[in-house]
Amino acid sequence: MVHPVRYTLTPASPEAHLFHITCRVAAPDPAGQRFALPTWIPGSYLIREFARQVVSIQAQADGKPVALTKLDKHSWQAAPVKPGRALEVSYQVYAWDLSVRGAHLDRSHAYFNGPSIFLGVVGQEHLPCRVELAPPAGKAYQDWRVATAMRPAKGEKGAAKRWGFGLYEAADYDELLDHPVEMGHFDVVEFKACGTPHAVAVTGRHDGDLERLAKDLKPICESHIRLFAKTAPMDRYLFLVTVVGKGYGGLEHRASTSLLASRNDLPGTQTPTEGPLPDSYVNFLGLCSHEYFHSWNVKRIKPAAFIPYDLDREAHTHLLWAFEGFTSYYDDLGLLRSGRIDAKTYLKLLGKTAERVRQAPGRLKQSVADSSFDAWIKAYRPDENTPNAVVNYYTQGALIALGLDLELRRGSHGRKSLDQVMQVLWQRYGQSGTGVGEGDIFTAVAEVGGPTAARWLEKAVTTPGDVALEKPLKALGVKLQWQPLGDKPSLGVRTTVEGGDLKLATVFSGGPAERAGLAGGDVLVAWNGLRISPDGLDELLARHRAGDDIQLHYFRRDELQETHLVLAPPPAHRAELRLMEGLPESTGRLRRGWLGE
C-alpha cells in the first residue's frame, strides 16, 4: 500500500549519536514541496530550534537528486518533480540531549520526541502517517526493543508487534509528534486502571521494585480517571521512565509521558508497605501523577491558542496558571485520594509549595496571567534575577487552585468544589476538542460556584501578590502559620558553589545584600577579614544575629571589591500546616470532603 507520508527511522550511528530519517511523500506539491521541523515541543514553552541538530539533508525522486533549498532556520523547499512521482528526503539528526524534550542516542539506548526528529510535510499535516522503526545494525542491538504508545500499523506488511520494531501509524502529523519512542533494553511492568491497560518502561540501571511501583500507580491513575469519567481517554497508556544518577522532569503526551528520575527515587524492596513513604518516592509518584493528570488538562482540555498548534512560533496564552497550576494542585491531591499518602503528609507537601512561592519576591510584581503569557521569554530562561521578577505559574497556580477549591467548598457547604469545574471543562472543551478561550475558565467557575467565586479567581490570577489562604484553610479545619526560615540571620541571597568558589546565584529584592550593592554572580571571598570557605557560610551566620554589621570582600568579575551589610532576621517563609482539633461537625464534614479523612 502506498501511503501519503511515510517515514523510516534508524539509529544509524549510536556511537556518533546520529539518527537517520527518510520522509517519503507520495504526492508532493507540484510547485515544490516544503518541509519544516518544529521549533518547540508542546508542553515546554521555549523556542528550542530543533533544526540546529540536523547534520545533513538531501532529496531525491526515482533515485535522482532533487535540489533542496533552505528557506529559513527550520524549513526547506524541494524543487518540483514530475507529476505522479514520489519525493524522498533523507537527513541525519544529532541526538545528545538527555532530557524529556529532545532526542538522545548512544550504544545503550535510543530515545526521541517527534518534534526534534520528524520533518513536517507542509500542507499535508492532516494526512495519515506511517513510521517504520528499524534497529541499529549489528549483533549488539539484536535484542533491543521498542516502547511507545504509537499504534502498530495492523494489517500491513511489516507491522510492528508490541514492544517490537516495524511499522507504526498515526492519524496525522500532530499525533505523530505526540508519541515519544524509547529503543533499547528496558524493564516493563503492566497494570490496568479502570480497565485500561497501562505500562511502565524503565530505562537505565536500577534496582527498583517495579511491581510495587505499579501497585502504587494504579490507584493514582484511577483517582484521576474517576474525576473526569468512568474510563480513561486513551486505549493504552505508557510511562516512559529514564533513570539516571540525579535528575527530575516530565513531559506529557496524549497517551504517554516521558519522565527523567534519579534511580533512588524508585521504590526498593525495603520501601514500607504501611506508614510514611520515603520523600524521594513520594516526589516521584507526584511527578507521575502530574503528568498523568495532563492527559485531560492540556492534552485534551486545551487553550484555544493551542488549537491547532503552530510549532513555527510562540503560541501565547494567559492560561498556563490553570493548565500547569491546577495540574500541580491535583498531582499531590491524587496521592492523597488514592491513599498513597495521609492528610498530614499532604499538608506538608502543600506547605513546601507555599514556601517556594513565598521565597520569590517576583510574586509581588507579576501576576500568574502575565507569567503564563511571558513563559516563552522568562519562565524557561531563568537568570539571577528571575526570583525577583517572575512568579512561577506552577506553584502560584497550585495555590490559587487550592484557594479556589476551598472557596467553592465553604461557600456551598461542601456541595461544590474545583472537581466540578474540571468536569465542566472536560465535558465542554475536552470531549468536543474546542479550545478554552481566555475567559472561559472564569465562566465555568461562575456556573459552578457563582459570580463571587469567579471574581475571586479573576482577581487572584490577574493581580500580583500572595494568595490569602489562612482564613479559608481555617474554615476547613486546617491552621496555617508562617514561621522563621531557620534560626540564623539572613543575607538575603541564594548561593551556589562553582569551581570551589562561593557564588551568589540570586540577590533577593530588598534584602541586606542588595542594599549593600552585591549582585548575582559575585564571588564571596572574605567575611570580616577572614576567608570564607565554600561550605562555611552557614557556620558564620550561626555566630551572628540580626543587626550585626559585616564587612565583606568579594570578586565581581576579576575585580576585588568591599562592602558592609547589616544582617536581617530570618524571613518568615516556612509554612506550617496542621489539622485542627475539636472541630464543629460542619467544619469536620467540610474537611473530610476535601482531605477524605
Side-chain angles (χ1 to χ4, degrees):
M1 182 182 297
V2 176
H3 298 291
V5 181
R6 177 164 177 153
Y7 299 86
T8 301
L9 180 141
T10 307
S13 302
E15 65 284 350
H17 324 299
L18 293 174
F19 283 104
H20 183 265
I21 307 101
T22 64
C23 175
R24 186 181 185 278
V25 184
D29 187 336
Q33 182 61 56
R34 287 182 57 221
F35 299 86
L37 198 65
T39 65
W40 61 281
I41 181 170
S44 185
Y45 308 109
L46 178 68
I47 298 298
R48 297 193 178 273
E49 315 292 17
F50 292 120
R52 64 192 173 91
Q53 303 297 357
V54 175
V55 175
S56 65
I57 184 168
Q58 51 275 324
Q60 65 169 14
D62 290 340
K64 297 180 180 179
V66 173
L68 197 62
T69 302
K70 192 166 189 181
L71 302 176
D72 52 35
K73 63 182 181 180
H74 69 293
S75 64
W76 295 258
Q77 182 163 1
V81 299
K82 293 181 179 180
R85 294 190 177 181
L87 174 67
E88 184 174 279
V89 174
S90 302
Y91 55 104
Q92 289 184 316
V93 172
Y94 179 73
W96 197 237
D97 176 15
L98 187 57
S99 75
V100 297
R101 297 174 297 270
H104 189 264
L105 170 62
D106 61 17
R107 289 178 174 176
S108 69
H109 87 128
Y111 168 84
F112 66 85
N113 278 292
S116 68
I117 290 290
F118 293 123
L119 282 172
V121 183
V122 177
Q124 301 191 30
E125 294 92 344
H126 62 289
L127 296 177
C129 302
R130 297 294 185 273
V131 182
E132 183 181 355
L133 301 178
K139 293 183 179 180
Y141 307 105
Q142 287 181 348
D143 57 350
W144 273 27
R145 297 191 293 167
V146 173
T148 182
M150 199 183 315
R151 299 185 306 275
K154 294 181 179 179
E156 297 190 30
K157 184 178 180 181
K161 295 181 179 179
R162 196 174 179 199
W163 310 113
F165 290 92
L167 197 61
Y168 289 82
E169 65 181 3
D172 52 29
Y173 183 63
D174 179 66
E175 182 182 326
L176 173 67
L177 298 185
D178 214 10
H179 290 298
V181 174
E182 172 72 27
M183 304 176 180
H185 303 109
F186 46 82
D187 297 315
V188 175
V189 64
E190 299 180 82
F191 62 93
K192 287 187 177 182
C194 294
T196 299
H198 288 59
V200 184
V202 181
T203 298
R205 297 182 183 181
H206 70 92
D207 58 359
D209 183 347
L210 299 192
E211 293 295 334
R212 170 62 189 276
L213 178 58
K215 181 180 178 181
D216 288 331
L217 283 177
K218 175 182 171 68
I220 295 170
C221 295
E222 291 182 336
S223 170
H224 293 326
I225 293 170
R226 287 168 180 152
L227 170 61
F228 292 99
K230 294 181 180 179
T231 58
M234 72 292 291
D235 295 330
R236 173 175 171 255
Y237 191 86
L238 176 64
F239 293 90
L240 285 172
V241 184
T242 299
V243 293
V244 292
K246 186 176 182 181
Y248 182 86
L251 190 65
E252 67 275 2
H253 299 276
R254 68 181 66 192
S256 62
T257 180
S258 290
L259 306 171
L260 187 69
S262 302
R263 58 177 56 89
N264 291 334
D265 291 347
L266 298 180
T269 55
Q270 301 302 313
T271 300
T273 55
E274 297 182 3
L277 297 174
D279 289 347
S280 60
Y281 183 40
V282 170
N283 289 338
F284 178 67
L285 289 177
L287 176 64
C288 295
S289 177
H290 182 100
E291 304 305 336
Y292 192 74
F293 194 84
H294 271 315
S295 300
W296 294 266
N297 197 36
V298 93
K299 294 312 298 182
R300 290 171 173 85
I301 308 170
K302 289 184 180 182
F306 293 173
I307 299 179
Y309 286 117
D310 183 349
L311 298 179
D312 288 344
R313 57 186 59 83
E314 297 92 337
H316 292 283
T317 175
H318 290 94
L319 297 179
L320 294 182
W321 54 266
F323 291 97
E324 291 295 352
F326 282 20
T327 301
S328 295
Y329 173 59
Y330 275 102
D331 53 19
D332 289 336
L333 191 59
L335 304 190
L336 175 67
R337 289 178 169 178
S338 64
R340 300 310 93 188
I341 60 175
D342 59 18
K344 289 184 178 179
T345 302
Y346 174 66
L347 293 181
K348 182 180 177 182
L349 293 173
L350 273 184
K352 289 182 178 179
T353 299
E355 289 170 3
R356 287 195 292 272
V357 173
R358 187 90 162 200
Q359 292 172 29
R363 76 192 192 282
L364 305 175
K365 301 174 184 177
Q366 186 188 46
S367 70
V368 288
D370 289 341
S371 177
S372 299
F373 197 84
D374 285 343
W376 300 90
I377 59 173
K378 292 187 177 182
Y380 284 84
R381 291 178 174 172
D383 59 27
E384 69 284 345
N385 194 51
T386 293
N388 294 324
V390 175
V391 65
N392 187 312
Y393 53 76
Y394 283 82
T395 50
Q396 182 77 327
L399 296 186
I400 290 173
L402 167 63
L404 177 60
D405 197 12
L406 299 178
E407 291 289 338
L408 291 170
R409 290 175 185 276
R410 67 174 184 157
S412 65
H413 304 288
R415 294 189 298 272
K416 303 292 185 180
S417 72
L418 187 57
D419 290 356
Q420 280 94 337
V421 175
M422 298 308 302
Q423 289 160 6
V424 168
L425 295 175
W426 169 243
Q427 293 160 10
R428 182 169 301 164
Y429 302 102
Q431 291 185 324
S432 69
T434 305
V436 179
E438 297 291 289
D440 288 343
I441 294 177
F442 306 126
T443 301
V445 171
E447 291 177 12
V448 172
T452 300
R455 286 193 295 269
W456 182 96
L457 177 62
E458 188 167 7
K459 182 179 179 181
V461 303
T462 59
T463 306
D466 292 315
V467 182
L469 294 172
E470 289 85 348
K471 185 177 178 179
L473 280 168
K474 187 176 180 180
L476 271 77
V478 174
K479 187 167 186 178
L480 167 61
Q481 289 182 306
W482 289 100
Q483 305 290 353
L485 198 63
D487 56 0
K488 303 180 185 68
S490 172
L491 282 172
V493 300
R494 183 178 294 157
T495 62
T496 184
V497 176
E498 293 184 9
D501 291 330
L502 182 62
K503 194 172 185 178
L504 301 185
T506 295
V507 174
F508 292 111
S509 297
E514 185 185 66
R515 290 193 292 269
L518 292 166
D522 290 346
V523 175
L524 302 185
V525 293
W527 176 288
N528 285 342
L530 297 176
R531 183 175 68 87
I532 301 176
S533 64
D535 58 353
L537 184 58
D538 281 347
E539 184 178 344
L540 287 170
L541 288 170
R543 290 174 167 270
H544 291 273
R545 58 187 176 185
D548 285 355
D549 185 286
I550 305 298
Q551 179 194 39
L552 281 176
H553 285 83
Y554 61 97
F555 277 109
R556 178 166 294 172
R557 298 177 296 275
D558 60 349
E559 298 176 13
L560 182 64
Q561 301 193 28
E562 176 189 353
T563 190
H564 282 256
L565 61 75
V566 177
L567 296 175
H573 287 169
R574 184 172 66 83
E576 183 180 278
L577 290 94
R578 62 179 179 82
L579 298 169
M580 299 166 62
E581 298 180 355
L583 300 177
E585 173 55 29
S586 59
T587 304
R589 187 167 56 250
L590 282 176
R591 194 172 78 184
R592 288 191 296 274
W594 174 40
L595 299 180
E597 299 167 279

